[in-house]
Amino acid sequence: MIKNGIYRDYLKDIREFERLYRKFLEGEAFESDFKNFRLVNGIYGQRQKDYFMVRVKVPSGLLTPQQIKRIAIIGEKYSNGVAHFTTRQDIQFHWVKLEDIPEVIREINETGLTTRDACGNTLRNITASYLSGVCPYEVIEVQRIALKVTETLIGRYDNLPRKFKIGFSCCDKHSYLIPFNDLGFIPVLKDGRPGFSVYIGGGLGDRPKYAFRYTDFLPFEELILLIESVLKLFNDFGDRKNRRHNRLKFLIEKLGRERFLSILDEYLQKERENFTPFECDAPVELPSEKPEILPSAGNEAYRLWLETNVIPQKQEGLFTALIKLHLGNITTGKLKKIGEIAHEYMLSIKATQDQNIALLNIPEEILYTLYRELDSTGLASAGASTYLDITACPGSETCSLGITGSRDLARAIYERLPSDPESVRRFKNITIKVSGCPNGCAHHHVASIGLHGIAMKIDDTLIPAYVLHLGGNGNLLRQRIGITGIKIPAKNVPDAVLFLLEYYRDNALENEDFHSFVDRISPEKIFQVLEPFKQLYKDDTQYSVDWGSDKQFSLEDLGTGECAGIIADRVEESLKEGERLLQQAKTHIRNGIPEDAQVHIDSALDIICSGLLIPFGVKAEGSQAREKFIEQIIGRKMVDESFIPLLTEKISDPSYRLEIGERFYTACKKAYLRLRKKTEEKKEKPQEEEKARKEFLDLRGVECPFNYVKAKYKLREMDTGSILVITIDGEESIRSVPQSLRDDGHEIINIQEEEDGVYTVIVRKR
């Protein structure tokens, strides 16, 4: 374990969190500054206003019994009493109030864990195989390496273009998700020398991609050298504007692999100038071939638990046991019980990447006693990491981006699955993963049976549905992105999954696994067999009501709209970039380079003007942005007309231009903060008397957030109670614009898909 805690500057962060929040409430700080600081410290907004999710980083998944118990107490005290274990070996608590956040952060750090860099555009939690240290094929103990890398880099990369993920595998056999990390490492020995096989540029989510093998052997001492070189390259070249395409995988695609590697080589050469070899006390040893023999069992339930939940370790007479957490959730009471059991029997604890808890170093002589104790607490369910252990993200239950209730669907599927010993043994190598939207937090792309939530229109009715993915695998030796297939109404999905399992059972060859079966039969043939499940064949079923809900399904149920947030982010980024350029101009003047100062002043004025025009739906750059600024912003008397000479280049002296430019920045910042405050106050005003009329607005081809701004200003011109019929296109637009208008206080009456990617949104002005 890391001594004295993972992150030691948490008290300073807590004070800064409180300061920024106070300034934000007082209208003196940018919203993006508070939001970004909140995310960097592991605090996510929930779908439910005024409540937040807190994510605890668990590097390599390693926990002590004391930490487990203290984390449980924190969750019991500040959340709804349920801990959620994630696919990156984190622990999450939902339903935390904002006023409790500073104390929660403090108490988590006092356990030796942290929330730092758990969210946001940071170096996320560094994962390691839960079998590290006990796997017979492992040549270097990677859990210690993951801890050391975390300790070295935490807090140093908190403003990347997008999140960055690193994973370590103990061996090829247990290399789950290594092909889908930004950087993946597998330990190897070359002529007795320790090092790593390295994979770069993988990722799931939007447009999943396999990582490519960078090298068969990276010397052990060069580990941090490579990691930091890739991080710095990504930081410098990553796309900070297009959030949907700013992961490392897209940068590599944009540059081309050859150009990317050439630039990376330049960064490596530069970093070598101050290169400190990586050191870590991780044991190095030759792999061993040890037969995996399980103890004998006296009853069927215990025998099945041994077969699915217990793994023999390389250490003679010791075993690892998996505690299957249903959908990754566990009550804080049961979590404390696990800590007590681990303490009593002196066991190690790890969070796994399939949302379970592993107990390690269990002597064979206490294995049955441990099973009995776990069973008495409801923690000895068989089927860990099998089809009975469904992975699901929170979906629309709490996530702002969730379209469908993925966890409720997962529960409905689980209730239909056969769990008799014969079925468990037949289907145990099949995985089922359910995401509530296309983003892939539940890893549906690499599941045997993967599902992601969508909205689908059938007979003029919007219903929750899922896209089926077949034959995916996240292991390096069998890496495969599942084949995308048919769309199935949510209420038919449990039937379809059960039918698919039975179809495999009845048609597979002897000893043929599911993935080989899919290859032999072909995904297209299987999708064809599943066609009947696309129909609304149940007369007694409300297809327009999602699992776990009693309300009519609607995209209006999405959480906080992103358009207003995108506007705020873009305006604030523009203002901050303008301030940065003015600071550079000041440095040039100080160094006697006035011509360079002029260039930076001009760029600053262009960017500031362009940014402040965004809330008014005006897209302009360069000299046109200045002209539109004079017309739209100074014309509205938001900024004083005394700045017109600056914007029209009537001032030529660089020093004086800089002085006026700095005043201009301050005036624009104040104008934006006033506008933001005025917008918030308007949301809280009582509704006016309704005067209904109907108008139409075609926004096809208008990108976010400008489509939202145009709709917002159109509604501003209309009387209260009037109807605006908006035509809009694009997945991002339909996800964000209606909810952003709803956040403004308007009523979304209906959303209809007219054709592929084109929607009609009917809004009543409020």
Side-chain angles (χ1 to χ4, degrees):
M1 296 298 297
I2 295 173
K3 296 179 181 179
N4 303 318
I6 301 168
Y7 181 64
R8 291 151 201 171
D9 289 334
Y10 66 91
L11 292 176
K12 182 179 73 174
D13 283 359
I14 290 171
R15 289 192 293 270
E16 180 66 4
F17 183 93
E18 292 172 328
R19 186 191 71 81
L20 277 173
Y21 183 50
R22 185 175 64 254
K23 290 289 186 183
F24 169 66
L25 292 178
E26 293 169 355
E28 297 179 11
F30 289 138
E31 180 180 7
S32 58
D33 286 338
F34 174 65
K35 178 184 176 183
N36 292 341
F37 194 81
R38 169 170 61 77
L39 289 171
V40 165
N41 283 277
I43 314 300
Y44 261 124
Q46 280 190 197
R47 199 183 190 100
Q48 296 78 12
K49 189 179 178 182
D50 301 326
Y51 288 97
F52 291 81
M53 180 268 282
V54 177
R55 179 177 291 158
V56 185
K57 284 180 77 166
V58 187
S60 78
L62 188 60
L63 292 156
T64 67
Q66 292 76 18
Q67 284 175 328
I68 279 278
K69 288 187 282 188
R70 289 181 66 184
I71 286 293
I73 291 168
I74 293 168
E76 198 170 71
K77 185 176 178 182
Y78 296 105
S79 77
N80 63 342
V82 176
H84 178 70
F85 281 68
T86 78
T87 53
R88 286 205 69 80
Q89 298 174 303
D90 298 309
I91 301 173
Q92 293 178 177
F93 291 109
H94 291 83
W95 303 99
V96 180
K97 295 180 179 178
L98 191 61
E99 58 263 32
D100 291 332
I101 294 298
E103 187 61 22
V104 171
I105 292 175
R106 183 186 66 78
E107 292 189 26
I108 288 170
N109 277 273
E110 287 176 352
T111 70
L113 300 172
T114 189
T115 62
R116 177 72 185 198
D117 297 346
C119 307
N121 299 326
T122 64
L123 172 56
R124 296 292 186 88
N125 192 37
I126 298 175
T127 61
S129 305
Y130 73 89
L131 291 173
S132 177
V134 302
C135 171
Y137 311 107
E138 183 180 49
V139 295
I140 311 171
E141 194 173 305
V142 294
Q143 69 177 15
R144 299 199 193 189
I145 296 167
L147 289 169
K148 182 68 174 181
V149 173
T150 298
E151 186 178 30
T152 303
L153 300 181
I154 193 164
R156 290 175 51 189
Y157 294 93
D158 58 6
N159 188 29
L160 294 167
R162 197 74 167 86
K163 59 188 174 184
F164 195 95
K165 298 179 178 179
I166 297 176
F168 287 88
S169 168
C170 58
C171 64
D172 285 347
K173 183 180 178 181
H174 302 119
S175 55
Y176 180 64
L177 288 185
I178 288 298
F180 301 103
N181 275 276
D182 294 292
L183 275 174
F185 297 93
I186 300 177
V188 294
L189 293 178
K190 185 176 182 180
D191 300 325
R193 187 182 176 195
F196 302 92
S197 178
V198 183
Y199 296 81
I200 297 181
L204 296 175
D206 186 22
R207 289 166 55 192
K209 293 182 182 296
Y210 304 109
F212 69 89
R213 179 178 282 183
Y214 171 69
T215 179
D216 290 332
F217 184 77
L218 174 77
F220 186 88
E221 62 273 13
E222 295 185 8
L223 178 63
I224 290 293
L225 172 67
L226 176 66
I227 291 174
E228 292 219 72
S229 295
V230 175
L231 281 166
K232 289 176 180 179
L233 187 162
F234 179 51
N235 188 58
D236 292 344
F237 285 84
D239 186 349
R240 294 180 183 271
K241 293 182 180 179
N242 188 351
R243 179 178 171 82
R244 292 178 63 82
H245 297 100
N246 56 3
R247 293 292 300 275
L248 180 66
K249 60 183 179 180
F250 295 120
L251 175 61
I252 295 170
E253 182 181 79
K254 178 182 177 181
L255 294 173
R257 188 183 300 183
E258 186 176 337
R259 174 67 177 144
F260 171 81
L261 291 174
S262 174
I263 297 171
L264 177 57
D265 188 57
E266 293 173 12
Y267 274 74
L268 284 165
Q269 295 306 319
K270 184 178 179 181
E271 290 298 307
R272 285 184 195 279
E273 295 173 7
N274 299 300
F275 169 48
T276 301
F278 177 69
E279 295 180 352
C280 180
D281 61 353
V284 177
E285 55 186 292
L286 293 174
S288 60
E289 289 291 338
K290 179 176 178 292
E292 297 186 356
I293 301 173
L294 293 169
S296 58
N299 63 74
E300 185 61 34
Y302 179 49
R303 183 180 299 110
L304 196 61
W305 182 77
L306 288 173
E307 291 177 14
T308 59
N309 294 45
V310 176
I311 304 106
Q313 297 182 185
K314 66 181 178 182
Q315 295 86 358
E316 196 67 39
L318 297 181
F319 295 84
T320 292
L322 291 169
I323 298 174
K324 189 181 81 170
L325 306 183
H326 187 51
L327 306 179
N329 291 338
I330 183 170
T331 65
T332 51
K334 288 186 177 181
L335 194 59
K336 278 192 285 187
K337 181 64 176 177
I338 290 173
E340 292 166 2
I341 291 171
H343 178 75
E344 179 183 355
Y345 295 109
M346 295 183 290
L347 308 177
S348 299
I349 309 170
K350 290 186 186 178
T352 77
Q353 286 182 274
D354 47 10
Q355 299 182 291
N356 291 321
I357 294 174
L359 297 177
L360 297 89
N361 302 318
I362 307 166
E364 181 175 350
E365 57 268 21
I366 70 162
L367 198 53
Y368 183 66
T369 302
L370 176 68
Y371 166 76
R372 291 286 301 273
E373 191 157 354
L374 290 172
D375 190 41
S376 67
T377 318
L379 294 170
S381 297
S385 303
T386 73
Y387 74 107
L388 291 174
D389 193 7
I390 302 174
T391 301
C393 69
S396 59
E397 185 179 331
T398 56
C399 178
S400 296
L401 300 178
I403 296 171
T404 55
S406 44
R407 281 209 278 230
D408 286 298
L409 171 66
R411 293 184 185 101
I413 293 172
Y414 181 80
E415 289 172 1
R416 298 290 306 278
L417 295 176
S419 57
D420 59 280
E422 182 182 351
S423 295
V424 173
R425 293 182 177 108
R426 187 72 181 93
F427 301 137
K428 69 178 182 179
N429 292 321
I430 293 175
T431 58
I432 302 173
K433 302 180 186 294
V434 187
S435 298
C437 78
N439 287 332
C441 294
H443 301 161
H444 61 265
H445 293 292
V446 292
S448 310
I449 302 170
L451 298 151
H452 84 255
I454 59 168
M456 186 168 72
K457 192 176 179 185
I458 295 182
D459 299 332
D460 295 325
T461 301
L462 198 67
I463 68 169
Y466 287 83
V467 175
L468 176 64
H469 304 257
L470 273 184
N473 195 306
N475 193 285
L476 184 65
L477 299 178
R478 300 193 68 173
Q479 62 177 0
R480 175 181 292 182
I481 295 167
I483 305 299
T484 303
I486 60 176
K487 302 173 183 178
I488 303 175
K491 289 297 177 72
N492 289 350
V493 170
D495 291 350
V497 171
L498 182 62
F499 176 87
L500 184 54
L501 291 176
E502 292 171 343
Y503 183 73
Y504 162 61
R505 181 196 62 202
D506 296 341
N507 294 277
L509 302 176
E510 187 176 356
N511 298 322
E512 184 177 36
D513 65 40
F514 184 80
H515 296 84
S516 300
F517 171 76
V518 170
D519 288 343
R520 180 174 62 82
I521 299 295
S522 86
E524 294 73 21
K525 169 66 175 175
I526 296 172
F527 293 142
Q528 186 179 349
V529 171
L530 292 169
E531 278 285 323
F533 295 98
K534 293 168 60 176
Q535 308 303 316
L536 309 185
Y537 55 82
K538 298 179 181 179
D539 295 333
D540 59 345
T541 296
Q542 287 184 288
Y543 281 96
S544 59
V545 177
D546 202 358
W547 289 102
S549 175
D550 57 3
K551 298 178 181 178
Q552 192 80 2
F553 177 75
S554 169
L555 293 179
E556 185 181 348
D557 287 340
L558 281 172
T560 303
E562 293 184 24
C563 289
I566 291 171
I567 290 172
D569 287 348
R570 288 196 183 179
V571 176
E572 293 171 16
E573 285 169 8
S574 298
L575 288 168
K576 285 186 277 190
E577 178 62 10
E579 183 185 27
R580 186 187 69 81
L581 288 166
L582 289 171
Q583 288 298 318
Q584 285 189 341
K586 182 180 287 187
T587 300
H588 288 313
I589 288 175
R590 192 183 301 123
N591 293 335
I593 319 174
E595 60 275 13
D596 286 356
Q598 292 280 34
V599 172
H600 283 87
I601 293 169
D602 286 337
S603 297
L605 297 178
D606 293 343
I607 288 171
I608 292 170
C609 289
S610 178
L612 209 57
L613 287 167
I614 292 173
F616 300 94
V618 179
K619 187 177 182 180
E621 296 177 356
S623 60
Q624 186 187 22
R626 298 194 206 183
E627 292 171 8
K628 291 290 184 182
F629 185 93
I630 293 170
E631 175 190 320
Q632 298 283 338
I633 307 300
I634 294 179
R636 285 182 166 91
K637 300 191 182 301
M638 292 175 62
V639 173
D640 194 82
E641 63 184 16
S642 64
F643 292 108
I644 292 177
L646 173 71
L647 299 176
T648 54
E649 299 186 358
K650 297 289 177 60
I651 301 171
S652 58
D653 179 71
S655 296
Y656 187 51
R657 283 195 81 207
L658 175 62
E659 180 185 337
I660 303 301
E662 289 179 324
R663 291 185 203 165
F664 177 69
Y665 161 76
T666 301
C668 289
K669 179 179 179 180
K670 289 180 178 178
Y672 165 69
L673 292 173
R674 285 196 303 270
L675 178 64
R676 190 188 74 187
K677 186 176 181 181
K678 185 178 178 181
T679 303
E680 292 300 320
E681 289 173 349
K682 189 169 288 187
K683 290 180 185 179
E684 298 172 3
K685 281 187 177 180
Q687 296 178 3
E688 300 174 6
E689 183 182 349
E690 295 188 1
K691 298 176 183 177
R693 78 175 193 267
K694 192 173 187 178
E695 295 196 30
F696 297 84
L697 182 64
D698 190 342
L699 294 175
R700 283 174 289 187
V702 182
E703 65 182 82
C704 281
F706 295 99
N707 44 19
Y708 159 64
V709 175
K710 289 181 182 294
K712 177 180 179 179
Y713 273 86
K714 182 66 177 177
L715 285 162
R716 186 174 292 179
E717 298 168 0
M718 298 169 63
D719 294 326
T720 301
S722 298
I723 301 296
L724 179 62
V725 180
I726 303 170
T727 306
I728 202 166
D729 58 357
E731 182 182 324
E732 182 179 2
S733 297
I734 196 59
R735 179 179 294 177
S736 299
V737 172
Q739 186 56 40
S740 295
L741 294 173
R742 181 172 173 242
D743 291 344
D744 288 341
H746 304 299
E747 178 187 355
I748 307 299
I749 297 174
N750 194 17
I751 300 174
Q752 295 183 355
E753 185 176 5
E754 304 302 334
E755 54 187 79
D756 285 346
V758 178
Y759 297 82
T760 297
V761 181
I762 304 175
V763 188
R764 189 192 307 277
K765 177 175 177 177
R766 291 298 190 188

